[in-house]
Amino acid sequence: MANKNITIYNLEPEVFKLKRIIFLLALCLAGMLLAGCAPRPAATPAEPPAPVTLAAPAAPAIKVYTTFYPLYDFAGKIGGERAEVAKLVPPGVSPHDWEPDPGTLSGLKAADLLLYNGLGLEPWLDKVVGALETTKLIPVNTTEGIEPLRGVPCGPACTPDEEEKKKKEAAGELPDPHVWLDPLLALKQAERILESFVAADPDSEQYYRANFAVLKGQFEQLDAEYREALQGKARDKFIVTHLSFAYLAERYGLKQVGIAGLSPQAEPTARELAELVELIRAYGIRYIFQEPLVSPRLAQMLAAETGAGILEINPLEGLLPEEISAGKDYFSVMRENLVQLYRALE
Ligand SMILES: [Zn+2]
């Protein structure tokens, strides 16, 4: 627009030029008053006048790496413009499958914080951090202080007694890493992120705390929606691609049955598949959940065998590039999951 005006001035007499410039200046001033007069903080430094007081500086104060999507989302929401947040596991890749390569890790050396899930989701972490030879990077375990569920739950045809026995046996077994799918445990992870930000950048404490307060409200709202929608549902069992919903199931009084184990690679035996078919028939399960980053082969096989339908549920282990560009985040996907759960448990 500016260029267009200049072109016009050059064709006009001098006096007209001056009048129009004064008029345009007055318009600009009026516009600034209406817009609150604040020049944008990120404006080019050479451009006067300089901003007087600003709520936040334009340049990020800390550089933060996260391992996978949910932590990336929470860190971005707490850090706002004061934290530069990156993610190691690329879009469309499951953190269960991902392993770092030297190229991906070069950026880590310059980072202040590395936020990770823990509970076995990132088995490569210790080795990688050890090999970085930097004293600057602080690894932050976001599940510190959360009591994990352990082991693989009882098979589909499990009786309550067998389940109790299995729980005791599981005490020494591998922890279940999928805490982020319980909104209130995800809130605890976000609290750990907040603490690490405040420690790394104390000058921005109030800013981070204000962002966190908004985020906390979102987690509590989501929890309330789950509670309200899922109480008193006709069914309590749901079948998922891999065992990622134990914390969510425990929070809302449901029971997940996995086609695969704690990671999608832990494929079922022929006997376990036969048990699943029996369970689907015995409980009149109408839908099988399929998750986006895993092959639908087994879910389709079970659906064909039993006549059950397939619905999508997303354990948020990573969003696809098209989901990110569509503006999806942890909260929108969790709400989509709730709609699907509601439908399957009717
Ligand atoms: Zn998983």
Side-chain angles (χ1 to χ4, degrees):
M1 188 168 170
N3 287 339
K4 202 174 161 191
N5 282 335
I6 287 164
T7 318
I8 295 165
Y9 298 155
N10 291 343
L11 302 172
E12 290 171 339
E14 286 299 312
V15 67
F16 258 95
K17 228 193 241 180
L18 193 66
K19 274 185 177 171
R20 288 200 63 153
I21 287 168
I22 291 165
F23 176 61
L24 282 171
L25 273 174
L27 262 185
C28 284
L29 269 172
M32 277 174 73
L33 281 171
L34 283 174
C37 273
R40 286 193 51 83
T44 46
E47 195 179 310
V52 190
T53 45
L54 294 171
I62 47 173
K63 196 172 160 78
V64 179
Y65 265 79
T66 59
T67 54
F68 77 130
Y69 180 75
L71 302 180
Y72 172 78
D73 190 23
F74 307 158
K77 285 176 169 133
I78 297 168
E81 58 193 343
R82 298 202 184 178
E84 185 189 330
V85 182
K87 179 166 62 64
L88 288 174
V89 180
V93 176
S94 160
H96 293 292
D97 299 329
W98 187 79
E99 283 206 1
D101 60 69
T104 345
L105 295 174
S106 58
L108 266 179
K109 279 194 178 178
D112 301 290
L113 300 169
L114 171 59
L115 311 177
Y116 67 100
N117 186 76
L119 303 176
L121 191 70
E122 303 98 341
W124 44 265
L125 191 106
D126 286 349
K127 211 171 97 186
V128 162
V129 173
L132 279 176
E133 293 172 349
T134 164
T135 50
K136 192 187 168 202
L137 182 75
I138 300 170
V140 179
N141 178 0
T142 60
T143 55
E144 196 182 283
I146 294 176
E147 186 57 45
L149 299 172
R150 283 179 188 276
V152 174
C154 227
C158 206
T159 66
D161 281 353
E162 284 169 335
E163 195 175 326
E164 205 46 48
K165 187 167 164 265
K166 177 92 183 169
K167 268 188 186 163
K168 281 181 189 147
E169 284 171 0
E173 286 182 34
L174 288 177
D176 181 337
H178 304 90
V179 291
W180 63 90
L181 290 166
D182 170 351
L184 297 184
L185 291 180
L187 168 60
K188 283 195 183 306
Q189 292 186 282
E191 276 169 8
R192 291 287 299 122
I193 295 173
L194 168 69
E195 287 162 15
S196 72
F197 281 17
V198 169
D201 176 24
D203 289 349
S204 305
E205 175 168 358
Q206 291 315 310
Y207 177 78
Y208 296 138
R209 288 200 185 281
N211 285 347
F212 174 78
V214 175
L215 184 60
K216 185 173 187 240
Q218 289 182 297
F219 283 120
E220 287 166 350
Q221 171 67 29
L222 184 67
D223 169 59
E225 287 172 27
Y226 264 77
R227 245 169 242 286
E228 200 193 324
L230 296 176
Q231 68 181 357
K233 294 302 290 180
R235 300 161 208 272
D236 65 350
K237 288 186 181 55
F238 60 103
I239 298 189
V240 291
T241 313
H242 83 287
L243 291 169
S244 40
F245 289 87
Y247 295 93
L248 182 146
E250 178 148 304
R251 177 71 67 192
Y252 303 109
L254 307 174
K255 199 170 168 6
Q256 70 166 349
V257 179
I259 301 173
L262 277 176
S263 97
Q265 291 83 2
E267 287 212 353
T269 61
R271 181 173 165 265
E272 284 165 339
L273 277 176
E275 280 183 0
L276 276 168
V277 169
E278 253 174 62
L279 176 103
I280 292 165
R281 290 192 178 128
Y283 289 95
I285 288 174
R286 297 182 305 147
Y287 293 102
I288 293 163
F289 284 118
Q290 167 61 31
E291 62 181 80
L293 304 183
V294 177
S295 155
R297 179 176 55 89
L298 290 171
Q300 283 168 352
M301 208 181 85
L302 282 173
E305 181 70 27
T306 60
I310 291 182
L311 290 178
E312 187 172 288
I313 200 165
N314 192 337
L316 275 154
E317 294 187 347
L319 291 188
L320 297 164
E322 56 267 34
E323 291 174 319
I324 292 170
S325 52
K328 291 191 179 187
D329 71 350
Y330 173 86
F331 294 97
S332 68
V333 173
M334 284 297 283
R335 289 198 167 91
E336 287 173 6
N337 286 347
L338 178 57
V339 169
Q340 302 291 59
L341 274 169
Y342 186 90
R343 207 173 146 194
L345 297 172
E346 261 181 317

